[in-house]
Amino acid sequence: QVQLVESGGGLVQAGGSLRLSCAASGSIFSVNAMGWYRQAPGKQRELVASITRGGRTKYADSVKGRFTISRDNAKNTVSLQMNNLKPEDTAVYYCNAAYSDNYYYDWGQGTQVTVSS
């Protein structure tokens, strides 16, 4: 089973930037797409960005134009560049499979992103 490890979170002021990384212990090529999810306190986990094996991307409206997802298939990594961060982006961020018939790897611990106003 592929293990996912997220990193790169932290505390940043509104308007700032962070780059999240997700390292997989094995190939992530077997799923249709990989995604970044986030879960804020008291809210459900939501998919904010996804990228297919071929590099096609999709974003939630709330992050469109501010976040950029990328992947390196050779290194089995997925990244999320987050610019112009807002307090409402505060959440724990996770990477996992997306649009893959409800298949998910075991969830990692995630990485905390906190945006202060």
Side-chain angles (χ1 to χ4, degrees):
Q1 174 71 309
V2 171
Q3 306 282 333
L4 301 169
V5 178
E6 301 92 349
S7 62
L11 173 63
V12 64
Q13 288 189 331
S17 298
L18 284 172
R19 185 176 180 84
L20 307 184
S21 295
C22 171
S25 62
S27 173
I28 54 175
F29 214 71
S30 59
V31 294
N32 292 332
M34 289 294 292
W36 280 96
Y37 300 76
R38 68 185 181 188
Q39 187 166 20
K43 294 189 177 181
Q44 286 191 330
R45 190 173 293 169
E46 62 171 337
L47 177 64
V48 297
S50 63
I51 184 166
T52 66
R53 286 179 291 225
R56 188 167 66 247
T57 59
K58 189 174 182 180
Y59 299 94
D61 287 343
S62 59
V63 306
K64 201 171 293 183
R66 300 187 297 121
F67 290 11
T68 303
I69 188 171
S70 60
R71 66 188 289 165
D72 185 328
N73 291 328
K75 296 181 179 179
N76 293 313
T77 59
V78 184
S79 298
L80 186 69
Q81 177 66 42
M82 306 186 296
N83 297 328
N84 191 21
L85 283 161
K86 303 177 180 180
E88 51 263 43
D89 295 319
T90 295
V92 179
Y93 284 71
Y94 305 85
C95 69
N96 213 314
Y99 303 114
S100 299
D101 299 322
N102 285 323
Y103 175 81
Y104 298 99
Y105 300 113
D106 289 341
W107 292 91
Q109 292 189 326
T111 185
Q112 175 72 49
V113 172
T114 303
V115 185
S116 63
S117 57

